[in-house]
């Protein structure tokens, strides 16, 4: 039954379509939004519209940006000879937070996943190849996720990049820093053994 | 640092002000919204604005509604001689779902909580008294929450309603149906004993 009026029900319905927002939390969010001052609700709605309107892909690395070239690609302080390929802008942000990497990125916006109907054409791979043709980097680091889809994507990219005579590397598998060995899964343990380094 | 562009950062910031949405989930929601088709993001923004614009308090019971009088107050099939006082429209919906109650409601929009600066004047108590003056019900059922604030509110309302010669009742405390006694807290157990009924 309709206890509150249609405008609330529609808001609850729209909110519950968001990932991780169930019926109960959609209701809670809706009541919170109604109790907000009008200008704050307006700011939220406007932020949604502005993000959709202003955000596009960086012409070079396909990261999200609101200008033609993202902050990283426009920076003169980055090493243009290394490209790290990641699945998602959040992965880029995660590597940036390490403060260790000074090269460029390329964001694929996904990983090859035949189960979900995502093939190489759905990813920003054409853009990567075009970019490499314009300026050949000395190294491409494949930093896709360490799961089935990420590995498949890295293997696929390795196959098409190798013939171009570029050094192609993959981020290391191994035990995470700060963990307890006994809680690390078997596959990771055997990868850590297999990829061991002399010290 | 600004990795993605301002429009995304602003959206993440606005989303993270919502209750129960932390930094990480605000980021996840923002990326989801950017990946949405334009018309779906538009529908979400419009639902937020419409809810703020169209939703007001029912002139009688202070429930949320998008017309002058809410669906329950306009219904001819409800018993106008009983008013159940609840804290929140969601409590009203919870009681409606039981299908047991055929009377009217009054929504306080909160409970007395000196710690949070909420006194009787911040609640829809004036509206309740004005309503009772227009039409005296035979019973007022106090269904505020069974916590400190809800009890304080029920006690306060009891004190001001009793002199008006109206039967004032409080929903029963006791053990919840379907539970195991051993998991019920001590206060509830002693209330259940205290409020026991002859069968």
């Amino acid at each position: 039954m309709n206890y509150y009026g249609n405008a609330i029900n529609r808001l609850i319905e729209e909110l519950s379509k968001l990932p991780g927002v169930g019926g109960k939390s959609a209701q809670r969010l809706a009541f919170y939004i109604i109790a907000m001052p009008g200008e704050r609700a307006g700011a939220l709605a406007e932020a949604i519209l502005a993000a959709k309107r202003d955000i596009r892909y960086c012409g070079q690395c396909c990261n999200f940006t609101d200008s033609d070239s993202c902050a990283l690609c426009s920076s003169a302080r980055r090493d243009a000879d290394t490209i790290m390929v990641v699945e998602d802008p959040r992965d880029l942000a995660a590597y940036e937070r390490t403060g260790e990497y000074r090269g460029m990125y390329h964001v694929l916006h996904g990983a090859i996943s035949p189960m979900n109907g995502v093939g190489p054409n759905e990813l920003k791979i054409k853009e990567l190849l075009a970019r490499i043709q314009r300026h050949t980097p000395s190294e491409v680091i494949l930093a896709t996720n360490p799961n089935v889809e990420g590995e498949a994507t890295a293997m696929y990219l390795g196959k098409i990049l190798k013939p171009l005579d570029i050094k192609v590397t993959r981020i290391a598998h191994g035990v995470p820093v700060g963990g307890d060995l006994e809680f690390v899964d078997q596959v990771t343990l055997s990868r850590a053994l297999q990829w061991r380094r002399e010290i």
Side-chain angles (χ1 to χ4, degrees), chain A:
Chain A
M1 215 208 118
N2 184 351
Y3 307 122
Y4 315 122
N6 290 325
I8 296 196
N9 293 334
R10 199 155 69 81
L11 179 58
I12 293 173
E13 196 191 310
E14 291 296 336
L15 289 168
S16 64
K17 289 178 190 164
L18 297 174
V21 179
K24 283 260 169 186
S25 46
Q27 213 180 51
R28 194 162 54 113
L29 289 173
F31 280 95
Y32 183 87
I33 287 170
I34 287 163
M36 272 179 173
E39 65 273 23
R40 276 195 54 207
L44 174 60
E46 171 54 24
I48 290 169
L49 296 173
K52 270 310 286 185
R53 187 182 58 223
D54 298 343
I55 293 298
R56 58 200 119 148
Y57 296 132
C58 168
Q60 176 149 279
C61 74
C62 300
N63 183 19
F64 286 132
T65 176
D66 44 15
S67 49
D68 287 335
S69 180
C70 77
L72 293 162
C73 286
S74 340
S75 164
R77 298 170 52 210
R78 311 288 302 204
D79 167 19
D81 275 335
T82 321
I83 298 177
M84 179 187 280
V85 179
V86 293
E87 291 181 19
D88 194 284
R90 280 165 287 188
D91 301 336
L92 174 159
Y95 256 102
E96 278 304 290
R97 280 192 293 271
T98 68
E100 294 274 321
Y101 180 67
R102 307 304 306 161
M104 310 298 262
Y105 291 92
H106 192 87
V107 183
L108 296 177
H109 291 280
I112 294 173
S113 171
M115 295 274 284
N116 298 313
V118 180
N121 290 333
E122 274 73 49
L123 306 175
K124 304 289 177 196
I125 293 178
K126 277 185 308 291
E127 288 79 355
L128 175 63
L129 297 176
R131 179 180 174 185
I132 286 174
Q133 268 188 340
R134 286 197 302 271
H135 172 86
T136 308
S138 57
E139 181 176 355
V140 172
I141 304 169
L142 302 175
T144 51
N145 283 331
N147 54 23
V148 180
E149 288 85 7
E151 294 295 346
T153 310
M155 263 178 43
Y156 178 86
L157 288 175
K159 260 189 198 150
I160 56 173
L161 293 177
K162 275 283 182 194
L164 305 179
D165 224 11
I166 307 166
K167 182 176 167 194
V168 181
T169 56
R170 176 87 174 107
I171 52 167
H173 286 296
V175 292
V177 178
D180 254 12
L181 274 196
E182 61 171 319
F183 301 124
V184 177
D185 65 288
Q186 293 178 357
V187 183
T188 303
L189 283 179
S190 54
R191 289 289 180 91
L193 182 65
Q194 203 180 320
W195 290 46
R196 70 191 180 277
R197 295 201 306 180
E198 213 167 319
I199 53 168

